[in-house]
């Protein structure tokens, strides 16, 4: 008989275990989903485990690189063996590694949400309801990233959302299902449905490293914007702005906002928080932008710098580090690209 276990090793991971039909012997450090649902302590641990999936290199690098490397805001200073090169050069391959990694990781995250959601009784307490809302949000958030990367845009000329293929919307855990792709409209409708329910369930104030009602409002605004429903987009943006929880940072606080604890930044709505023990070293985002302890092969583009230099008071100029020659008379270059670290 096949059993599904949550395994507790620091954070929660998923383990598919096989047990004898004659002898039920579960792992000593694991629980079935039903056992997890029987205790709020276990539910909290499983919930943290679902968040921890965002700290994996295959996810956090690719979710940033795949969309950003197709813009004119950065320059890749040469050929690299990393598959990020294909995102940068628009030469996508059917077996491109980073595409497969982000597909796998996002659906892995969705699987974690789909395992936990059915065993949370939201009527037991406000915390039960809130954690259910968090996992509905995370499922919608993953589906939204998938449809942005692997489907055409909802408002693109020539796209009919009712017939255009989106991605496979997965709302139940299964080891055997091979779901077909939903239409673009079905995909966005499912994302909105999860987010609306999530917002209704969440009543607790949590730090920006976790999901709260305002986080769901912010993503709803972004999703409605993508579908051209500007009235709803403005409505949910206003709910975030008028919540009183956030404010724009200015001055030196803006310059330093990537270097301080995210919870101290009043502008942050939702972040993927890394601590020292989560450091990915050369696998981190920063390693690609900085040659001091990293690869340093990605630079701020000259196109982007021209925009910054157009306005001397733009504080973003203080967030870049131009690399100069020893005599400070010229900018260092690699393959003709100015070395400008972020």
């Amino acid at each position: 008989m096949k059993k599904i276990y949550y395994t507790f090793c620091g954070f929660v991971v998923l383990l598919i275990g096989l047990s004898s039909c004659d002898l039920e012997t579960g792992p000593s450090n694991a629980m079935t989903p039903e056992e997890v649902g029987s205790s709020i302590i276990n539910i909290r641990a499983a919930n943290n485990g679902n968040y921890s999936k965002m700290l994996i290199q295959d996810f956090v690098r690719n979710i940033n690189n795949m969309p950003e490397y197709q813009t004119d805001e950065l320059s890749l200073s040469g050929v690299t063996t990393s598959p990020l090169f294909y995102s940068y050069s628009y030469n996508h391959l059917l077996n491109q590694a980073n595409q497969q990694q982000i597909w796998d990781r996002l659906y892995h995250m969705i699987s974690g949400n789909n395992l936990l959601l059915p065993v949370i009784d939201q009527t037991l307490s406000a915390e039960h309801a809130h954690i259910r809302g968090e996992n509905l949000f995370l499922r919608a958030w993953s589906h939204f990233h998938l449809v942005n990367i692997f489907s055409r845009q909802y408002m693109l000329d020539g796209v009919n959302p009712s017939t255009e293929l989106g991605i496979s919307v997965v709302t139940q855990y299964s080891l055997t299902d091979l779901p077909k792709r939903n239409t673009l409209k079905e995909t966005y409708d499912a994302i909105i449905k999860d987010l609306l329910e999530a917002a209704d369930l969440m009543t607790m104030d949590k730090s920006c490293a976790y999901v709260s009602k305002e986080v769901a409002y912010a993503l709803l605004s972004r999703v409605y914007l993508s579908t051209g429903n500007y009235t709803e987009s403005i409505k949910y943006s206003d709910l975030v702005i008028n919540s009183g929880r956030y404010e724009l940072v200015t001055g030196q606080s803006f310059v330093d906002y990537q270097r301080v604890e995210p919870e101290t930044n009043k502008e942050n709505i939702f972040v993927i928080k890394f601590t020292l023990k989560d450091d990915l070293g050369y696998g981190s985002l920063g390693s690609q932008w900085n040659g001091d302890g990293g690869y340093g092969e990605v630079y701020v583009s000259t196109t982007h710098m021209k925009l910054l230099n157009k306005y001397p008071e733009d504080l973003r100029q203080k967030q870049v580090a131009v690399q100069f020659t020893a005599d400070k008379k010229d900018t260092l270059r690699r393959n003709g690209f100015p070395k400008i670290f972020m």
Side-chain angles (χ1 to χ4, degrees):
M1 181 174 64
K2 190 171 290 184
K3 276 193 176 291
I4 301 169
Y5 290 99
Y6 279 99
T7 300
F8 297 86
C9 297
F11 277 118
V12 180
V13 295
L14 299 178
L15 172 67
I16 307 304
L18 298 179
S19 62
S20 167
C21 289
D22 299 319
L23 181 64
E24 294 286 340
T25 54
S28 61
N29 65 338
M31 294 182 181
T32 64
E34 292 73 23
E35 290 171 327
V36 169
S38 67
S39 163
I40 189 61
I41 294 174
N42 297 340
I43 290 172
R44 288 172 192 155
N47 189 44
N48 284 335
N50 284 339
Y51 278 99
S52 74
K53 294 178 178 65
M54 291 186 272
L55 304 178
I56 297 172
Q57 176 180 324
D58 286 353
F59 171 77
V60 75
R61 280 188 62 170
N62 293 328
I63 206 66
N64 174 80
N65 293 352
M66 294 192 68
E68 187 174 47
Y69 276 47
Q70 297 179 75
T71 72
D72 62 356
E73 295 181 351
L74 56 80
S75 297
L76 185 61
S77 59
V79 177
T80 175
T81 56
S82 170
L84 64 84
F85 179 77
Y86 299 108
S87 295
Y88 179 78
S89 62
Y90 295 90
N91 293 313
H92 297 289
L93 306 177
L94 289 176
N95 62 343
Q96 191 171 318
N98 54 352
Q99 289 181 163
Q100 186 65 54
Q101 289 165 357
I102 198 61
W103 177 274
D104 290 347
R105 288 301 174 189
L106 284 166
Y107 276 115
H108 182 227
M109 291 167 64
I110 290 169
S111 293
N113 304 134
N114 287 340
L115 266 173
L116 185 56
L117 281 165
V119 301
I120 302 175
D121 184 349
Q122 66 195 55
T123 66
L124 291 179
S125 72
E127 186 175 5
H128 282 80
H130 193 102
I131 292 176
R132 177 172 173 81
E134 288 179 81
N135 282 269
L136 286 168
F137 171 91
L138 293 173
R139 184 170 73 184
W141 185 73
S142 295
H143 279 134
F144 187 57
H145 279 303
L146 283 163
V147 76
N148 271 328
I149 295 172
F150 294 102
S151 301
R152 300 176 79 190
Q153 294 302 302
Y154 201 97
M155 297 291 291
L156 193 67
D157 287 345
V159 168
N160 181 348
S162 296
T163 57
E164 182 74 30
L165 288 179
I167 46 94
S168 300
V169 176
V170 182
T171 57
Q172 292 182 331
Y173 182 83
S174 173
L175 290 173
T176 57
D177 283 354
L178 297 173
K180 295 181 179 179
R181 290 172 69 181
N182 294 80
T183 67
L184 205 54
K185 184 177 187 306
E186 290 169 341
T187 303
Y188 276 86
D189 286 349
I191 292 168
I192 291 170
K193 179 177 181 294
D194 274 353
L195 290 174
L196 288 172
E197 184 179 350
D200 285 341
L201 287 170
M202 292 186 289
T203 58
M204 302 171 65
D205 288 339
K206 292 195 172 186
S207 78
C208 59
Y210 292 89
V211 178
S212 55
K213 184 187 295 289
E214 290 78 15
V215 181
Y217 289 158
L219 187 54
L220 274 167
S221 178
R222 179 66 179 84
V223 174
Y224 279 126
L225 181 66
S226 297
T227 64
N229 191 336
Y230 303 125
T231 300
E232 290 297 297
S233 180
I234 292 170
K235 169 187 169 181
Y236 284 102
S237 287
D238 284 343
L239 285 172
V240 177
I241 294 168
N242 297 327
S243 69
R245 293 193 63 185
Y246 312 103
E247 60 186 51
L248 296 179
V249 294
T250 59
Q252 193 61 38
S253 295
F254 175 82
V255 175
D256 295 336
Y257 83 91
Q258 296 185 59
R259 302 185 181 96
V260 300
E261 286 287 325
E263 293 89 346
T264 66
N265 184 347
K266 290 287 287 183
E267 191 168 320
N268 283 334
I269 298 175
F270 180 53
V271 303
I272 300 174
K273 181 180 178 178
F274 281 80
T275 63
L276 285 176
K277 67 182 180 62
D278 305 313
D279 183 19
L280 297 175
Y282 271 80
S284 67
L285 289 178
S287 72
Q288 298 170 286
W289 287 90
N290 198 313
D292 184 12
Y295 294 103
E297 59 187 0
V298 179
Y299 310 140
V300 179
S301 70
T302 53
T303 302
H304 188 66
M305 285 304 300
K306 284 179 181 177
L307 286 175
L308 296 186
N309 292 332
K310 188 176 180 180
Y311 303 97
E313 71 277 11
D314 194 325
L315 291 174
R316 288 174 296 179
Q317 293 190 38
K318 296 183 178 181
Q319 294 178 327
V320 300
V322 180
Q323 306 300 297
F324 292 101
T325 55
D327 58 10
K328 305 293 183 181
K329 292 182 178 180
D330 198 9
T331 304
L332 284 174
R333 293 175 180 268
R334 180 172 184 256
N335 296 328
F337 292 97
K339 281 191 172 186
I340 307 173
F341 294 151
M342 177 68 73

